[in-house]
Amino acid sequence: MQYYLRHFFNPDFDYLNLKPGGGDESSDVYSLGYVQNVICGQVLAEIVPLDQVTGVRDARFILNKPEFPKGANTHIAPTFPNFLLSSVNGYVFYLNGAITVKSLLNVRKDVSFETGNIFFVGNMAIHGSVRAGFSVQGNNIRILGMLEGGEARSRRDMMIDGGARGGAGGHSKIDAGGKLMTLFLERMEARARGNMVVKKNCLYSTVYAGSNLIVHEKLYGGVVNAYGSVYVGEQIGNRANISTRIYLGYAPHHIRQLEKIDQIIAEQSQTITHLTAIAGHLPPDTNDASRKLRSLRKQRQNLIHRREELWNTLYLDEKTLYHCRLICPGTIYPGVEVAIGRAFTTVEDQLTCVAFRLEENDIVAEPWEAKMQTGALS
């Protein structure tokens, strides 16, 4: 009796011969389907009697014995011995004649038109750079080159050895579900649910740190939101008085939600003003304009209510504000804005080696050496 090995992935997949749209005849040159993703427990192949197979049969997969070409990170289902399953999240392929799954994806080139965007369910190491207009997404991600005008999202930690620089289109983002470490940030939007470490400079960037932010050298331009403390080794702000704002103590994901809500409310308000001039004097169900006006007013009111709820949530967390610090052993230039919770101050004189903290709803600046000696950081 003969058997047939039925695949639930493309056994002839070749990452060196990719096509736009992943081979589905789409013209999307950014989506080439670089990997065949599988998750733990997913069916990879099935053995069936040959006489039950209809349609075209591939002679390569006709078997004399019901035995799987079982490779690493695969297993046979105990209760369904005719199915081969994946044991991990990863990508599936044939290796030396065996069906194999690997949980670490090594991309040994730049992410560009040669690879397309890459979405992977496991850990990823990119041995080149992520070029402008392209994106990568994975579990833990390490980029050995640079992130140049692209996007990178990790469900856990991310490391960018060569640093991240935004592109002209303003679509450059980093989003780490855990910690983020990078050589530098320049004109980027960077988010991390955990700690964020910038080995050199953070310039003209919007930063959301779910815990603490450490910048070893300079920080100026842009906005920093951090739930915990911020440490900048050499310089905050600059002599040109470039706008530099640092907000501490509130959960950054709540701040992002508030920013989005405020933007939507502003857009809706403009539309409401326009429609009011056209149909504001008419009953609500008179025509399309009056019905849209009523709907938008209701939507805006719901968003205003949601904004109030978010602010109330932030205020409930204010007990943590007294643990927040802005620390700079180097120089802080005039014009830098600092907020800890609802307290706000603007640096008026050039300062050196200071730490800002909250005291009785006011922000105070103290010599940093004194804070180190008392061990008051938390």
Side-chain angles (χ1 to χ4, degrees):
M1 183 175 180
Q2 289 186 310
Y3 302 87
Y4 192 75
L5 181 63
R6 179 182 292 159
H7 294 83
F8 294 94
F9 66 96
N10 180 4
D12 297 316
F13 174 81
D14 181 7
Y15 74 96
L16 295 176
N17 185 26
L18 301 173
K19 297 179 180 179
D24 63 359
E25 299 184 357
S26 167
S27 60
D28 185 0
V29 296
Y30 290 90
S31 301
L32 304 183
Y34 188 78
V35 291
Q36 296 189 98
N37 286 289
V38 293
I39 61 173
C40 183
Q42 182 171 331
V43 177
L44 304 176
E46 177 188 13
I47 291 179
V48 296
L50 186 62
D51 57 10
Q52 295 181 13
V53 179
T54 59
V56 179
R57 305 171 185 176
D58 191 325
R60 296 175 298 168
F61 305 120
I62 296 176
L63 310 175
N64 293 320
K65 295 181 179 180
E67 296 179 354
F68 284 105
K70 181 177 175 295
N73 295 318
T74 65
H75 68 278
I76 298 170
T79 53
F80 299 96
N82 57 322
F83 288 105
L84 182 69
L85 310 181
S86 173
S87 301
V88 297
N89 293 342
Y91 67 99
V92 61
F93 67 111
Y94 265 94
L95 179 63
N96 299 325
I99 298 174
T100 304
V101 178
K102 285 193 175 182
S103 58
L104 172 63
L105 173 64
N106 282 289
V107 182
R108 302 188 183 278
K109 58 182 69 177
D110 289 347
V111 176
S112 63
F113 285 108
E114 190 175 354
T115 64
N117 299 328
I118 300 177
F119 171 85
F120 184 51
V121 296
N123 299 329
M124 188 188 316
I126 299 168
H127 295 256
S129 297
V130 179
R131 299 300 182 183
F134 291 88
S135 65
V136 295
Q137 184 171 341
N139 192 32
N140 293 292
I141 295 178
R142 182 173 183 181
I143 302 172
L144 279 72
M146 290 181 60
L147 181 66
E148 298 181 288
E151 294 189 16
R153 300 176 185 272
S154 67
R155 288 175 288 277
R156 299 184 65 185
D157 299 337
M158 188 185 309
M159 180 181 294
I160 308 175
D161 291 17
R165 178 178 293 115
H171 301 297
S172 304
K173 293 184 178 66
I174 300 170
D175 194 341
K179 299 184 290 293
L180 170 64
M181 180 177 291
T182 180
L183 182 65
F184 66 85
L185 291 173
E186 184 176 337
R187 302 186 186 280
M188 293 291 303
E189 180 178 327
R191 311 169 186 170
R193 274 62 171 181
N195 291 323
M196 187 183 300
V197 178
V198 182
K199 293 183 178 180
K200 290 189 176 180
N201 301 321
C202 179
L203 309 178
Y204 308 105
S205 296
T206 301
V207 173
Y208 301 91
S211 187
N212 303 308
L213 168 66
I214 296 174
V215 180
H216 285 279
E217 295 183 6
K218 300 175 183 179
L219 184 154
Y220 59 80
V223 182
V224 170
N225 296 276
Y227 185 58
S229 297
V230 172
Y231 173 95
V232 182
E234 294 183 4
Q235 175 183 323
I236 302 178
N238 64 7
R239 296 182 186 277
N241 199 23
I242 296 294
S243 176
T244 305
R245 291 172 286 170
I246 300 173
Y247 302 121
L248 308 178
Y250 289 147
H253 65 279
H254 285 154
I255 297 298
R256 289 208 317 275
Q257 289 180 42
L258 286 166
E259 290 172 348
K260 291 178 181 177
I261 288 174
D262 286 340
Q263 181 181 354
I264 295 171
I265 289 175
E267 293 171 354
Q268 288 182 339
S269 296
Q270 288 184 350
T271 306
I272 287 171
T273 299
H274 175 70
L275 290 174
T276 299
I278 297 173
H281 62 288
L282 299 174
D285 292 319
T286 302
N287 54 30
D288 289 343
S290 61
R291 285 189 287 270
K292 185 176 181 180
L293 178 61
R294 180 179 63 177
S295 176
L296 280 173
R297 282 173 172 166
K298 184 176 180 179
Q299 291 176 29
R300 183 176 64 173
Q301 191 57 42
N302 289 337
L303 284 172
I304 291 172
H305 179 66
R306 174 58 179 157
R307 181 174 61 181
E308 291 174 352
E309 289 179 339
L310 280 172
W311 274 116
N312 289 335
T313 301
L314 292 175
Y315 293 155
L316 289 174
D317 204 26
E318 287 189 346
K319 61 181 180 295
T320 64
L321 299 176
Y322 290 91
H323 299 286
C324 296
R325 302 287 187 273
L326 170 60
I327 302 162
C328 183
T331 301
I332 302 180
Y333 285 96
V336 173
E337 300 176 8
V338 181
I340 304 178
R342 284 179 282 185
F344 176 86
T345 188
T346 300
V347 177
E348 296 181 352
D349 301 309
Q350 184 171 314
L351 303 173
T352 303
C353 206
V354 297
F356 292 87
R357 64 180 178 85
L358 193 63
E359 182 177 285
E360 297 182 355
N361 298 320
D362 287 323
I363 297 175
V364 297
E366 303 176 321
W368 168 233
E369 293 90 347
K371 302 304 296 177
M372 292 181 64
Q373 292 171 3
T374 58
L377 270 184
S378 57

